[in-house]
Amino acid sequence: MPCIKEVHDALDEVVEETDDPKAKSEAPSLVNEIKSYEFLVALAIWYDVPFAVNSVSKNLQAEKMYLGMASQLLQGLVQFFEQFRNEGFVAAIMIAREMNERLDIEQTFEIVKQRKKRKMFDYEGEDEHVLESTEQIC
C-alpha cells in the first residue's frame, strides 16, 4: 500500500515552495481530498481489486494458455470477488484506519443530503431517509 503520508507531505511542500500558479492552486484541493476518509477507503479497495484482475489478465495473455488453466484462473478470480464481497469492505476499513493514524483525520463518512423528489400525486408516500453508519455496515 502506498505511503499516503509521503504523498500528503509532498503536496504540502508543493504548496509552500512552488512558483507555478496552477500547481499552487491544485495542490491544496488534492490535500483536502487525500485527507477525506472516503478517499482512504476507496484507495484501499482500489488497491486490491485491480491487482487481482491484472494478475489474472497477464496470465491469460500468455502464449501457451490452455483452456483448463484459463478456467482455473477465472474461477479463482470469481472466488476472490465472492470473498471480497463478504470481507473486503471490512478489510478496507481496517486498512483505511491504519492510514488514518498517519494523517490524523476524522474517521467518519460524510453524510450527503438526499435530494427531495417532487411529488406528482398526493397518494405517493414519503421517501424514506436511509442513513448508514460504519457500525451498521461492519
Side-chain angles (χ1 to χ4, degrees):
M1 185 64 59
C3 185
I4 197 73
K5 180 68 174 157
E6 292 174 3
V7 173
H8 180 268
D9 293 343
L11 286 170
D12 276 341
E13 187 176 317
V14 166
V15 170
E16 294 172 3
E17 297 179 7
T18 190
D19 293 331
D20 183 18
K22 184 176 181 181
K24 203 171 197 88
S25 68
E26 289 179 355
S29 63
L30 289 173
V31 168
N32 288 338
E33 186 65 29
I34 286 175
K35 290 181 80 172
S36 72
Y37 192 62
E38 291 90 356
F39 177 80
L40 296 178
V41 173
L43 183 66
I45 290 171
W46 284 107
Y47 184 80
D48 291 335
V49 171
F51 181 78
V53 172
N54 189 35
S55 64
V56 170
S57 175
K58 283 184 179 182
N59 287 323
L60 289 175
Q61 294 175 25
E63 284 185 33
K64 293 187 177 184
M65 176 54 60
Y66 299 105
L67 189 57
M69 179 64 105
S71 176
Q72 287 177 351
L73 288 171
L74 291 174
Q75 186 61 33
L77 187 61
V78 168
Q79 288 174 353
F80 167 79
F81 280 119
E82 287 173 352
Q83 180 183 3
F84 194 82
R85 179 179 17 177
N86 297 329
E87 303 168 2
F89 187 74
V90 175
I93 294 287
M94 299 305 285
I95 292 170
R97 284 182 184 161
E98 291 173 11
M99 288 189 287
N100 183 35
E101 290 174 3
R102 296 182 195 133
L103 292 175
D104 193 33
I105 60 173
E106 189 177 341
Q107 292 184 1
T108 58
F109 290 105
E110 185 177 322
I111 298 174
V112 179
K113 184 178 175 182
Q114 282 191 325
R115 169 180 154 230
K116 291 200 174 191
K117 185 178 175 183
R118 280 185 52 179
K119 293 182 190 178
M120 300 304 259
F121 302 102
D122 289 336
Y123 61 83
E124 289 184 7
E126 289 287 322
D127 290 339
E128 294 181 19
H129 296 285
V130 178
L131 297 177
E132 294 181 359
S133 67
T134 54
E135 291 82 28
Q136 292 172 337
I137 293 172
C138 297

